[in-house]
Amino acid sequence: TGGTRLKMARVMAAGESLFYHEGKDSTVEVYQDRNNPYYRWLSINGAVEVTIDYSSLQTFKVMGHLPLLLHRDPQNVLVVSLGAGIVLGAVTRNPVQSIDCVEISSGAVKAQPFFQKENYGAIRDQRVNLVVDDARSYLLGTNKKYDVILMDATHPGSADSWVLYTREYYELCRKKLAEGGLILQWVPLHQISSRDYASILRTFHSVFPHATLWCTYRHTILMGSPSPFQLDLVRMVERMQLPAVNASLAEVGLNHPLVLSNGLLLGEKALAKFSKENIAAEINTDDHSPVQFSESRQYPRDTRAANLRKIL
C-alpha cells in the first residue's frame, strides 16, 4: 500500500547502508542508524526483518535458549530461518551435538558479519550445518529427527512466509520431531488482526495440543509438543548456570530463572481454553489461508494492544 511504502522509505532514509546484495532469490540490505552506530537492521526484499532493539534481542534469546533449557536431553536442533543469525547464535551457546539451519535467502548468509556481535559468529561453529533452501522443501527431503525445531520465520502476512504458519506445515514438522521433541514459533503481535492472530494459535494447537504461549513485551512465542510435556524449572535453573548460557541471557536481562519464566503468558490449559473459545478463528491451511492477508488489511494500525487484550 502507499502507506507501507512511505513508512519504509522513512525507515531507510534514517539509516546508512552498510551492505547490499542483489541475488536471484532476494535483495538483502543492512542499515545502520545515522545517530546510533550500535543500532542496525536487516532488510530483505524491501521489508525490515531484523532489528537490534532490546525487545527483539530478548525474543531471539528466548527462542534460542528456552527449549534447550527445558528439553530433557536436546542434542539435534533445527533452526528455520537464519535472518541475522541471533537465534542460531543463542543455540550455539548450549552443549548440543548438531545444529541444522535452513535459510531461503543466500543474501542473508552473506550479511552475517554485520551482526557478529549479536550472533557470536554462529555460522562458523563446527556443529552448524547451513542449508540454503526453502524450509518445507528441506523438511520433505530429510529423514532426520530433531529434538528441537525453532521457527523464526518472517511475518505471516508476507507473501513468502504464510506457508510456515499452516496446518500442513505444522504436521510436516511434527513428523520430524524426535520423541519428546519441542517446537517453537515466533508469532507477531503487530500488523495482524485479533482474529488472524487467534487463527495461528488455534492452528498450532490443533497439531501440537500440548502447547504454551510466551511473551517478550512486543512479541509472542508458541512452544508445543505432540506429547505431554512438563515444565521442569529445576532443570532450567541448573542449565542456566552454564557460563556461556548465563552470559548470553545476561545481555538482555534474562539470566535469572524467575525473570525468564515470567514470560509464560498462557499455560497448556489456558491455551487450550483460548483455542476452544475462539472457534470462529479459522484453521489456517495451505488451501485456505486468510492469515496471509493480515498485514495489508491492518496497515498502518498498531494491533499489539488489541491482541494482548484478547489473550489476557
Side-chain angles (χ1 to χ4, degrees), residues 52-103:
I52 309 301
D53 61 276
Y54 199 73
S55 178
S56 296
L57 287 174
Q58 281 190 325
T59 305
F60 294 138
K61 300 285 189 179
V62 171
M63 287 199 68
H65 287 293
L66 184 65
L68 304 180
L69 295 172
L70 295 175
H71 190 283
R72 69 174 185 273
D73 185 27
Q75 293 300 321
N76 300 307
V77 180
L78 172 65
V79 178
V80 174
S81 181
L82 174 66
I86 305 172
V87 172
L88 178 64
V91 173
T92 63
R93 301 296 91 179
N94 293 267
V96 299
Q97 183 177 8
S98 69
I99 311 165
D100 291 338
C101 181
V102 182
E103 169 58 55

Side-chain angles (χ1 to χ4, degrees), residues 183-220:
I183 184 168
L184 271 77
Q185 181 164 59
W186 171 78
V187 185
L189 290 166
H190 63 285
Q191 296 171 7
I192 183 170
S193 70
S194 295
R195 182 197 66 194
D196 292 339
Y197 181 85
S199 176
I200 291 176
L201 266 59
R202 288 196 68 237
T203 303
F204 186 89
H205 184 262
S206 71
V207 179
F208 301 102
H210 304 282
T212 54
L213 182 70
W214 300 71
C215 185
T216 59
Y217 181 55
R218 290 179 177 270
H219 308 276
T220 54

Side-chain angles (χ1 to χ4, degrees), residues 3-238:
T4 302
R5 289 192 294 269
L6 178 60
K7 183 174 182 180
M8 290 302 303
R10 289 172 178 169
V11 170
M12 300 309 178
E16 175 187 357
S17 179
L18 301 178
F19 171 81
Y20 179 86
H21 173 81
E22 188 171 342
K24 62 181 181 180
D25 49 36
S26 59
T27 298
V28 177
E29 297 171 274
V30 176
Y31 287 88
Q32 176 179 284
D33 192 293
R34 297 182 189 279
N35 300 316
N36 182 0
Y38 298 102
Y39 184 71
R40 282 150 287 122
W41 61 89
L42 176 72
S43 169
I44 299 180
N45 294 333
V48 177
E49 300 293 359
V50 178
T51 56
I52 309 301
D53 61 276
Y54 199 73
S55 178
S56 296
L57 287 174
Q58 281 190 325
T59 305
F60 294 138
K61 300 285 189 179
V62 171
M63 287 199 68
H65 287 293
L66 184 65
L68 304 180
L69 295 172
L70 295 175
H71 190 283
R72 69 174 185 273
D73 185 27
Q75 293 300 321
N76 300 307
V77 180
L78 172 65
V79 178
V80 174
S81 181
L82 174 66
I86 305 172
V87 172
L88 178 64
V91 173
T92 63
R93 301 296 91 179
N94 293 267
V96 299
Q97 183 177 8
S98 69
I99 311 165
D100 291 338
C101 181
V102 182
E103 169 58 55
I104 197 171
S105 169
S106 59
V109 178
K110 297 179 184 295
Q112 293 303 295
F114 295 93
F115 299 93
Q116 188 164 262
K117 178 179 180 294
E118 293 80 14
N119 65 32
Y120 314 123
I123 62 173
R124 297 194 300 272
D125 191 296
Q126 294 184 351
R127 297 167 297 171
V128 172
N129 172 40
L130 185 59
V131 180
V132 179
D133 195 0
D134 171 75
R136 291 183 66 154
S137 173
Y138 172 80
L139 286 169
L140 285 168
T142 184
N143 293 320
K144 292 187 68 172
K145 296 276 188 174
Y146 295 97
D147 300 310
V148 174
I149 297 178
L150 305 175
M151 302 184 294
D152 188 27
T154 57
H155 199 287
S158 63
D160 53 355
S161 287
W162 67 270
V163 292
L164 303 182
Y165 291 85
T166 68
R167 181 174 59 194
E168 289 85 352
Y169 174 65
Y170 293 147
E171 290 173 342
L172 177 59
C173 288
R174 185 178 61 188
K175 294 177 182 177
K176 305 302 178 181
L177 277 178
E179 183 179 355
L182 294 175
I183 184 168
L184 271 77
Q185 181 164 59
W186 171 78
V187 185
L189 290 166
H190 63 285
Q191 296 171 7
I192 183 170
S193 70
S194 295
R195 182 197 66 194
D196 292 339
Y197 181 85
S199 176
I200 291 176
L201 266 59
R202 288 196 68 237
T203 303
F204 186 89
H205 184 262
S206 71
V207 179
F208 301 102
H210 304 282
T212 54
L213 182 70
W214 300 71
C215 185
T216 59
Y217 181 55
R218 290 179 177 270
H219 308 276
T220 54
I221 300 168
L222 281 165
M223 181 170 70
S225 176
S227 55
F229 179 79
Q230 182 69 37
L231 297 179
D232 191 333
L233 295 182
V234 174
R235 178 188 296 147
M236 184 177 81
V237 170
E238 290 176 351

